[in-house]
Amino acid sequence: MRSSVPVSSSRWSRPLLAGSLGLALLGAAACGGGSGTAASSATSAAGAATSAAASAVSSATSAAGGSSSSAASSSTAGGSSAAVDPTRGQGVKIGIVTKTDSNPFFVKLREGAKARAEAQGAEVIALAGKFDGDNEGQVAAIENLVSQGVQGILVTPNSSSGLLNAISQARDAGIVVIALDTATDPADAVDATFATDNTKAGELQGEWVKATLGSTAPKVLMLDGTPGGTVDTFRHNGFLTGMGLTDDSPEILGKENTNGDQTKAQTAMENLLQRAPEANALYTINEPAAAGGYEAIKAAGLESQITIGSIDGSCTGVKNVKDGVIGATVMQFPAKMAEGGVDAVIAFAKDGTKPSGFNDTGSQLITDKPASGVDSKDTAWGAENCWG
Amino acid sequence: MAKAPPQRRFSFSSIVRQPLLGPLAALLLAVIVFSLITDSFLRPQNLSLILQQSVVIGILAVGQTLVILTGGIDLSIGAVAVLGTIVMAKVAGASGAVTALLVVLVVCAFAGLINGTLVTALQLPPFIVTLGTFTILYSATQLLAGSATYQVEQGPLTFLGKTFKIGTFTTTYGVVVMLLVYVVAWYALTQTAGGRHVYAVGGSPESARLSGIKSPRVLLSVYLITGVIAAIAAWAALGRIPNADPNAYQNANLETITAVVIGGTSLFGGRGSVIGTLIGTLIVGVLRNGLTQAGVDNLYQNIATGVLVILAVTLDQVARRRNR
């Protein structure tokens, strides 16, 4: 370590080394642009439609398992069965900007968009924020896509109002912008929205829990998502509506934020059960939160006492319903959102027709314990139509 | 006095001979490569975007550079800025934008002062202190915001997002402010006694003490100034996105450290420059933008950035050993 080489001699090795390595790197990156593989950690509540005009939402189309679209790894529920013209999208470039790279829901959204675009000869460029709440990263992504000259951008905004400037700049540049999964606020900041009506999804969870409890007085715990999240608020309020409760009802014994994360949810539930061991119903923002909550319930030996509802419809979640970990989950259809978005952009690029309004891609209660008065499908159907 | 371990002799000339060549070569190389493989990269409008996208992290990285030069590290810098955006939005709603800008300056400076006090008065390691304040500030910000995001009115608070033209080149006032912060910091660090003290405290605390430099006062000033810089970054952030979101900039601490390290500043203190940090910030911005233009998955940008960090630290180590 005590070489006595003068400093100056090292001054040329630095740039050379940096330069050659940088070159190799960029070369590798430029040639190796593949699609990211699905990571497996759900980090957030997979999003939700925040329909500012939830009342004006067109009635939910029931999600029938349609023909699965090409190239996607698992079947895409309700993939529109319209025949796809393999040359229709030639020369069309579509950008998709999701909240993060790692959440399976967004992976599905991305894959669905890619498969649908490739089937029509169009190209998809997928970008994402680095974490839930990374507005700056999403703005940069939109700007870079505009710079690149895409015809349309599909975006799942982190914050319903954080991207308004970037979106309006894109639209001013003649690009069609479509919100997937999470609406913007105001909703008409984008050309159109393809999403789950999350209030309704929350209501379905609440109705099923209420019907399952029957004449028993509800004692509810709530594992929420991220404080102030648009999606999270809609699901939370929808659940309360379905239960016939409000935030101030004495039937609600406790609420905790989990960021939709299984580990955080387990800790939160352990603490809630210390406070309210008599609870008999659990609302969860998403399936990872439900899985974490169940771990805490099992450790406390209360599996038979507490009814768990959830929302998402991932394949893991459906399997958890089948195994009795979750009582019921409400499935959403990310592939349908992506396909609707891609088709709308291609249509716009071909003949200038712009999509508009809120397009509900549907939600479906999945359970093996049907409750009277609540429409549901069993886990066999769920396994065929799940995502992730 | 016991024999002190052999210290690297501190001399001002070592500051001047900063090895900026490495980072500069990497930046130029990236620019050349992206210009060749894409049609859109070299467009003035695209280059302007890269600058705009670098503003917030770029400003924060100046503060991070100061702290790292003293041998410390500031993990709370992004949290201070996010607190600043929420304070600005809330105060502006109650008593106007100009008051809000003044209040945020005081609040962020105070946050910096707390960091500095804990580091100097209690002799705690900066890493631990700022890890603590980072956690505290993030949660305090969530409480203050009631976990809601605040949209701010167009006006003084969003001024740094306004565009103007230099000839045909469109840019924002935020970019100008970022460059100003760099120029002022560069001048203060290289042309004033205070700047030399910052290098001395980080490079060789013992020599600094012997030459009569009051280290605690220098450290306190550095953390205080870093708080002020975070306030400026908060203002710039509202210019870029007129939305104060308590969940934003969660990785700003790591992103600023990345920019500082890629820019050739030593994590061991006493060696480096803000100009290097500016180059480091731009390298990250160019990679993100260029790889997007080239249609490459975003994850490659993160990998490339990570490799550059390790490379830069390796080079720093080599230089340090040769300096022994």
Side-chain angles (χ1 to χ4, degrees):
Chain A
M1 292 306 139
R2 265 196 248 124
S3 72
S4 54
V5 185
V7 184
S8 56
S9 73
S10 69
R11 283 176 51 197
W12 294 106
S13 59
R14 290 187 68 160
L16 275 176
L17 188 52
S20 55
L21 216 130
L23 186 59
L25 242 170
L26 295 171
C31 307
S35 63
T37 49
S40 60
S41 66
T43 50
S44 77
T50 72
S51 132
S55 55
V57 166
S58 56
S59 63
T61 49
S62 77
S67 60
S68 61
S69 86
S70 62
S73 53
S74 62
S75 67
T76 53
S80 68
S81 48
V84 175
D85 173 357
T87 58
R88 181 169 161 76
Q90 254 160 11
V92 180
K93 266 203 270 190
I94 306 167
I96 180 167
V97 181
T98 48
K99 289 186 190 180
T100 60
D101 270 325
S102 55
N103 184 319
F105 183 89
F106 301 127
V107 171
K108 184 70 194 181
L109 213 54
R110 230 173 31 211
E111 285 176 351
K114 278 195 169 143
R116 187 71 171 185
E118 278 163 18
Q120 300 176 75
E123 184 195 344
V124 166
I125 301 143
L127 303 173
K130 282 200 169 70
F131 53 88
D132 275 333
D134 186 11
N135 301 325
E136 170 77 28
Q138 290 199 303
V139 166
I142 292 172
E143 288 172 340
N144 292 342
L145 288 168
V146 173
S147 209
Q148 211 184 321
V150 295
Q151 281 93 341
I153 295 176
L154 314 176
V155 60
T156 302
N158 260 313
S159 145
S160 51
S161 55
L163 309 181
L164 296 181
N165 283 4
I167 289 171
S168 73
Q169 277 164 15
R171 290 178 75 189
D172 291 346
I175 292 169
V176 67
V177 180
I178 295 169
L180 300 185
D181 174 65
T182 306
T184 49
D185 181 16
D188 63 4
V190 288
D191 290 293
T193 304
F194 288 80
T196 308
D197 174 356
N198 266 294
T199 306
K200 188 164 180 303
E203 279 172 19
L204 285 174
Q205 185 187 157
E207 283 166 11
W208 179 84
V209 170
K210 188 175 164 59
T212 304
L213 288 176
S215 57
T216 317
K219 298 183 184 121
V220 186
L221 293 175
M222 302 185 79
L223 291 177
D224 286 316
T226 313
T230 1
V231 167
D232 315 58
T233 311
F234 277 92
R235 289 186 187 181
H236 177 104
N237 294 344
F239 175 83
L240 291 175
T241 306
M243 289 287 292
L245 302 171
T246 67
D247 257 321
D248 305 323
S249 301
E251 288 89 346
I252 298 178
L253 305 183
K255 307 173 208 168
E256 285 281 348
N257 290 317
T258 65
N259 295 12
D261 174 88
Q262 179 166 348
T263 313
K264 287 198 175 85
Q266 184 175 347
T267 308
M269 192 63 189
E270 284 164 355
N271 297 340
L272 284 170
L273 286 175
Q274 291 300 311
R275 200 169 71 201
E278 73 276 25
N280 61 12
L282 175 63
Y283 158 85
T284 60
I285 179 70
N286 67 356
E287 287 155 0
Y294 177 80
E295 288 301 323
I297 290 170
K298 197 171 72 168
L302 299 173
E303 301 101 300
S304 56
Q305 177 188 307
I306 301 180
T307 301
I308 306 178
S310 195
I311 300 181
D312 252 358
S314 72
C315 295
T316 310
V318 171
K319 188 174 176 306
N320 277 342
V321 173
K322 187 165 181 281
D323 297 344
V325 170
I326 303 173
T329 192
V330 180
M331 184 177 283
Q332 1 175 40
F333 301 96
K336 277 178 77 175
M337 299 172 195
E339 287 167 13
V342 165
D343 289 354
V345 173
I346 292 176
F348 168 73
K350 286 294 145 199
D351 52 28
T353 34
K354 281 201 172 182
S356 65
F358 181 89
N359 303 274
D360 183 6
T361 49
S363 51
Q364 174 64 53
L365 189 80
I366 308 285
T367 184
D368 288 335
K369 301 174 196 157
S372 61
V374 188
D375 169 63
S376 66
K377 302 256 188 210
D378 64 11
T379 53
W381 188 93
E384 272 172 36
N385 295 287
C386 63
W387 50 265
Chain B
M1 206 183 92
K3 246 180 90 168
Q7 291 275 7
R8 201 160 52 73
R9 279 237 322 284
F10 178 81
S11 74
F12 184 62
S13 63
S14 68
I15 304 167
V16 181
R17 284 180 304 154
Q18 274 313 315
L20 286 177
L21 286 167
L24 205 54
L27 178 61
L28 285 174
L29 190 85
V31 168
I32 290 164
V33 169
F34 289 131
S35 307
L36 292 175
I37 62 176
T38 71
D39 306 332
S40 48
F41 181 81
L42 259 191
R43 286 188 198 135
Q45 182 218 2
N46 190 57
L47 298 178
S48 167
L49 271 185
I50 296 174
L51 285 171
Q52 290 173 42
Q53 291 168 0
S54 304
V55 165
V56 179
I57 294 297
I59 293 172
L60 286 174
V62 175
Q64 190 69 267
T65 310
L66 295 177
V67 174
I68 288 177
L69 282 176
T70 66
I73 200 148
D74 188 351
L75 298 179
S76 71
I77 195 161
V80 175
V82 173
L83 171 68
T85 59
I86 298 288
V87 168
M88 251 191 280
K90 291 198 78 152
V91 176
S95 34
V98 178
T99 316
L101 285 170
L102 293 172
V103 169
V104 85
L105 213 57
V106 173
V107 168
C108 292
F110 184 69
L113 197 61
I114 291 174
N115 279 335
T117 307
L118 291 169
V119 168
T120 54
L122 300 181
Q123 303 269 305
L124 302 172
F127 182 92
I128 302 300
V129 168
T130 57
L131 180 62
T133 50
F134 164 69
T135 313
I136 294 166
L137 287 170
Y138 244 109
S139 305
T141 303
Q142 287 277 10
L143 287 170
L144 182 69
S147 297
T149 57
Y150 293 83
Q151 278 177 278
V152 297
E153 303 269 314
Q154 294 293 324
L157 289 191
T158 60
F159 175 72
L160 295 190
K162 277 178 67 118
T163 55
F164 69 98
K165 277 185 160 18
I166 307 172
T168 55
F169 189 74
T170 306
T171 189
T172 63
Y173 290 103
V175 172
V176 176
V177 166
M178 172 177 80
L179 296 175
L180 271 178
V181 171
Y182 273 97
V183 168
V184 170
W186 170 82
Y187 180 86
L189 279 173
T190 57
Q191 311 296 317
T192 69
R196 285 196 287 276
H197 291 177
V198 169
Y199 279 101
V201 165
S204 176
E206 185 64 10
S207 318
R209 197 182 60 80
L210 291 175
S211 52
I213 295 172
K214 294 188 173 56
S215 293
R217 190 179 297 177
V218 174
L219 286 174
L220 210 55
S221 311
V222 162
Y223 284 96
L224 180 77
I225 291 164
T226 299
V228 171
I229 290 172
I232 299 170
W235 187 26
L238 287 184
R240 190 147 162 75
I241 303 176
N243 234 26
D245 184 346
N247 295 310
Y249 295 106
Q250 289 172 35
N251 295 350
N253 49 10
L254 301 181
E255 285 177 44
T256 54
I257 294 166
T258 300
V260 172
V261 170
I262 291 181
T265 292
S266 171
L267 276 174
F268 301 95
R271 276 216 337 278
S273 72
V274 285
I275 303 303
T277 300
L278 180 59
I279 296 170
T281 305
L282 292 177
I283 288 175
V284 176
V286 163
L287 277 178
R288 173 166 65 187
N289 174 282
L291 290 174
T292 304
Q293 307 302 311
V296 174
D297 196 304
N298 244 155
L299 295 169
Y300 287 99
Q301 180 235 326
N302 301 345
I303 292 171
T305 307
V307 170
L308 283 176
V309 168
I310 289 170
L311 189 70
V313 175
T314 309
L315 293 172
D316 178 52
Q317 281 286 40
V318 171
R320 277 164 48 80
R321 285 179 194 148
R322 300 211 164 165
N323 270 340
R324 293 255 169 85

